[in-house]
DNA sequence: CCGTATCCATTCCGATACTG
DNA sequence: CAGTATCGGAATGGATACGG
């Protein structure tokens, strides 16, 4: 059987995963955010097989998350660069990283630290907030179907599924 | 060859993906955040094969992202509930959802809307912010290796790509 | 240096049938 | 209803060899 495609699902999460749902995709994007641009950078940094890297890069280019641009140093090869679309995945990357820092940290600490570039300080956690910037409790966050269902308590105390 | 395991990588993103990197995992968690608790809820909502669902749920329980608890209604079966560890994946879920809303929206609009439970209003985007709550530009965010490399410009030095 | 092209192993997933 | 068992197909990823 063919693996189900998420692209025709209405859910935005599924539709996003259609683009970055493969294991390597987000790690490639992370490396690109850290400044990697060349095939070799990704390959060495990630320890990924070349053909796999080729496939993932092609997918990301096709999904317009990255673009191929002429090499800045005049090399005859091209480089890979994040588009705005790709750069806006930063909240996803940061959230994944911070969750890992807290819940499944490596004994030697994290390899990558996300910072305020000016101060060099570690960023506070990416977290749901109000327009005012005030941090919310998760119990104050609701999800509802686009139809008309009432917001659902996602602290998990209730049960209200159709 | 065996697929490379991310669990011994130092990178927090890779370590997180070790837990939620499968295609279905995050969608199961999303459903749980919307209140799904029973096997059948997940199955019907996602259209996932039963054996696949069993595998994913077992993985999530093993990773302590969910727990099995006695059914609230006295059913002889158990229910699945997010742990705090699992609930704290909310920023990841929200970030994925909001990226999809903006960049790969379905023509009929999103199926799920994330709200302030009190006001019912849609939440602003999850985004890197300062301690003060002030929203940052992505160009102000840096990433550095735990060693001491200087922060890297992750807007990309060249012109912005569209 | 940047890929392609094979080939193969493993993982993931779906359909179906079956159990309690 | 909540799984388990089995099967096959598809996707992913690694190793190697090769070519521009």
């Amino acid at each position: 059987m063919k693996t189900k495609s998420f692209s025709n699902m209405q859910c935005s999460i599924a539709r996003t995963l259609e683009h970055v749902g493969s294991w390597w995709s987000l790690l490639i994007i992370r490396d690109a955010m850290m400044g990697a641009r060349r095939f070799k950078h990704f390959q060495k940094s990630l320890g990924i097989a070349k053909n796999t890297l080729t496939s993932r890069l092609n997918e990301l280019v096709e999904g317009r998350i990255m673009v191929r641009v002429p090499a800045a140093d005049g090399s005859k090869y091209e480089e890979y660069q994040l588009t705005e679309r790709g750069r806006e995945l930063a909240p996803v990357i940061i959230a994944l990283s911070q969750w890992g820092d807290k819940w499944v940290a490596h004994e030697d600490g994290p390899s990558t630290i996300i910072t305020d570039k000016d101060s060099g300080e570690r960023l506070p956690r990416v977290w749901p907030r109000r327009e005012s910037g005030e941090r919310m409790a998760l119990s104050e966050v609701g999800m509802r179907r686009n139809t008309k269902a009432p917001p659902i308590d996602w602290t998990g105390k209730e049960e209200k599924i159709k």
Side-chain angles (χ1 to χ4, degrees), chain A residues 37-41 69-81:
Chain A
R37 305 167 66 87
R38 297 293 286 262
F39 191 91
K40 132 174 127 166
H41 298 155
V69 298
D73 61 354
S75 160
K76 66 174 178 172
Y77 300 110
E78 293 178 305
E79 296 181 344
Y80 297 87
Q81 190 172 331

Coordinates of all heavy atoms in Angstrom, one line a residue, chain A residues 37-41 69-81, chain C residues 1-2:
Chain A
R37 N 25.8 26.2 3.8 CA 25.3 26.5 2.5 C 25.8 25.5 1.5 O 25.1 25.4 0.5 CB 25.9 27.9 2.1 CG 25.5 29.0 3.1 CD 26.3 30.3 2.7 NE 26.0 30.8 1.5 CZ 25.0 31.7 1.3 NH1 24.3 32.1 2.3 NH2 24.7 32.2 0.1
R38 N 26.9 24.9 1.7 CA 27.4 24.0 0.7 C 27.0 22.5 1.0 O 26.9 22.1 2.2 CB 28.9 24.1 0.7 CG 29.4 25.5 0.3 CD 29.1 25.7 -1.2 NE 29.9 25.0 -2.0 CZ 31.0 25.5 -2.6 NH1 31.3 26.7 -2.5 NH2 31.7 24.7 -3.4
F39 N 26.9 21.8 -0.1 CA 26.7 20.3 0.0 C 27.6 19.7 1.1 O 27.1 18.9 1.9 CB 26.9 19.7 -1.3 CG 26.4 18.3 -1.5 CD1 25.1 18.1 -1.9 CD2 27.2 17.2 -1.1 CE1 24.6 16.8 -2.0 CE2 26.7 15.9 -1.3 CZ 25.5 15.7 -1.7
K40 N 28.8 20.0 1.0 CA 29.8 19.4 1.9 C 29.5 19.7 3.4 O 29.8 18.9 4.2 CB 31.2 19.7 1.4 CG 32.1 20.2 2.5 CD 33.5 20.4 1.9 CE 34.0 21.8 2.2 NZ 35.4 21.9 1.9
H41 N 29.1 21.0 3.6 CA 28.8 21.4 5.0 C 27.8 20.4 5.6 O 27.9 19.9 6.7 CB 28.3 22.8 5.0 CG 29.3 23.8 4.6 ND1 28.9 25.0 4.1 CD2 30.7 23.8 4.5 CE1 30.0 25.7 3.7 NE2 31.1 25.0 3.9
V69 N 21.5 28.8 -5.3 CA 22.0 30.1 -5.8 C 23.4 29.9 -6.2 O 24.1 29.0 -5.7 CB 21.9 31.2 -4.7 CG1 20.5 31.4 -4.2 CG2 22.8 30.8 -3.5
P70 N 23.9 30.7 -7.1 CA 25.3 30.6 -7.5 C 26.2 30.8 -6.3 O 26.0 31.6 -5.4 CB 25.5 31.8 -8.5 CG 24.1 32.1 -9.0 CD 23.2 31.8 -7.8
A71 N 27.3 30.0 -6.3 CA 28.2 30.1 -5.1 C 28.8 31.5 -5.0 O 29.2 32.1 -6.0 CB 29.3 29.1 -5.3
A72 N 28.9 31.9 -3.8 CA 29.4 33.3 -3.5 C 30.9 33.4 -3.8 O 31.4 34.5 -4.2 CB 29.1 33.7 -2.1
D73 N 31.6 32.3 -3.7 CA 33.0 32.3 -3.9 C 33.5 32.1 -5.3 O 34.6 31.8 -5.6 CB 33.7 31.4 -3.0 CG 33.3 29.9 -3.2 OD1 32.4 29.7 -4.1 OD2 33.8 29.0 -2.6
G74 N 32.5 32.0 -6.2 CA 32.9 31.8 -7.6 C 33.1 30.4 -8.0 O 33.4 30.0 -9.1
S75 N 32.8 29.5 -7.1 CA 32.9 28.1 -7.4 C 31.9 27.8 -8.5 O 30.9 28.5 -8.7 CB 32.5 27.3 -6.1 OG 32.1 26.0 -6.5
K76 N 32.1 26.7 -9.2 CA 31.2 26.4 -10.3 C 30.0 25.7 -9.8 O 29.0 25.4 -10.5 CB 31.9 25.5 -11.3 CG 32.3 24.1 -10.7 CD 32.9 23.2 -11.8 CE 33.3 21.9 -11.3 NZ 33.6 20.9 -12.4
Y77 N 29.9 25.4 -8.5 CA 28.7 24.7 -8.0 C 27.8 25.7 -7.3 O 28.2 26.9 -7.0 CB 29.2 23.6 -7.0 CG 30.0 22.6 -7.6 CD1 31.4 22.5 -7.3 CD2 29.5 21.7 -8.5 CE1 32.2 21.6 -7.9 CE2 30.3 20.8 -9.1 CZ 31.6 20.7 -8.8 OH 32.4 19.7 -9.4
E78 N 26.6 25.2 -7.0 CA 25.7 26.1 -6.4 C 25.6 25.9 -4.9 O 26.1 25.0 -4.4 CB 24.3 25.9 -7.0 CG 24.2 26.3 -8.5 CD 22.8 25.9 -9.0 OE1 22.4 24.8 -8.9 OE2 22.2 26.9 -9.6
E79 N 25.0 26.9 -4.3 CA 24.8 26.8 -2.8 C 23.3 26.7 -2.5 O 22.5 27.1 -3.3 CB 25.5 28.0 -2.1 CG 27.0 28.0 -2.3 CD 27.7 29.1 -1.6 OE1 27.0 30.1 -1.2 OE2 28.9 29.1 -1.5
Y80 N 23.1 26.3 -1.3 CA 21.7 26.2 -0.8 C 21.4 27.3 0.2 O 22.2 27.5 1.2 CB 21.4 24.8 -0.2 CG 21.6 23.7 -1.3 CD1 22.9 23.2 -1.5 CD2 20.5 23.3 -2.0 CE1 23.0 22.2 -2.5 CE2 20.7 22.3 -3.0 CZ 21.9 21.8 -3.2 OH 22.1 20.8 -4.2
Q81 N 20.3 27.9 0.0 CA 20.0 29.0 0.9 C 18.5 29.0 1.3 O 17.6 28.6 0.5 CB 20.2 30.3 0.2 CG 20.2 31.6 1.0 CD 20.7 32.8 0.2 OE1 21.5 32.7 -0.7 NE2 20.1 33.9 0.6
Chain C
dC1 P 36.4 19.3 -0.8 OP1 36.0 20.6 -0.1 OP2 35.8 18.1 -0.5 O5' 36.2 19.6 -2.4 C5' 35.8 20.8 -2.8 C4' 34.7 20.7 -3.8 O4' 35.0 19.6 -4.7 C3' 33.4 20.2 -3.1 O3' 32.4 21.2 -3.4 C2' 33.0 18.9 -3.8 C1' 33.8 18.9 -5.1 N1 34.2 17.6 -5.6 C2 33.7 17.2 -6.8 O2 32.9 17.9 -7.4 N3 34.0 16.0 -7.3 C4 34.8 15.2 -6.6 N4 35.2 14.0 -7.1 C5 35.4 15.6 -5.3 C6 35.0 16.8 -4.9
dC2 P 30.9 21.1 -2.7 OP1 30.3 22.5 -2.7 OP2 31.0 20.3 -1.5 O5' 30.1 20.3 -3.9 C5' 30.0 20.9 -5.1 C4' 29.1 20.0 -6.0 O4' 29.9 18.9 -6.4 C3' 27.8 19.5 -5.4 O3' 26.8 19.6 -6.3 C2' 28.2 18.1 -5.1 C1' 29.1 17.7 -6.3 N1 30.0 16.5 -6.1 C2 30.1 15.6 -7.1 O2 29.5 15.8 -8.2 N3 30.9 14.5 -6.9 C4 31.6 14.4 -5.8 N4 32.3 13.3 -5.7 C5 31.4 15.3 -4.7 C6 30.6 16.4 -4.9

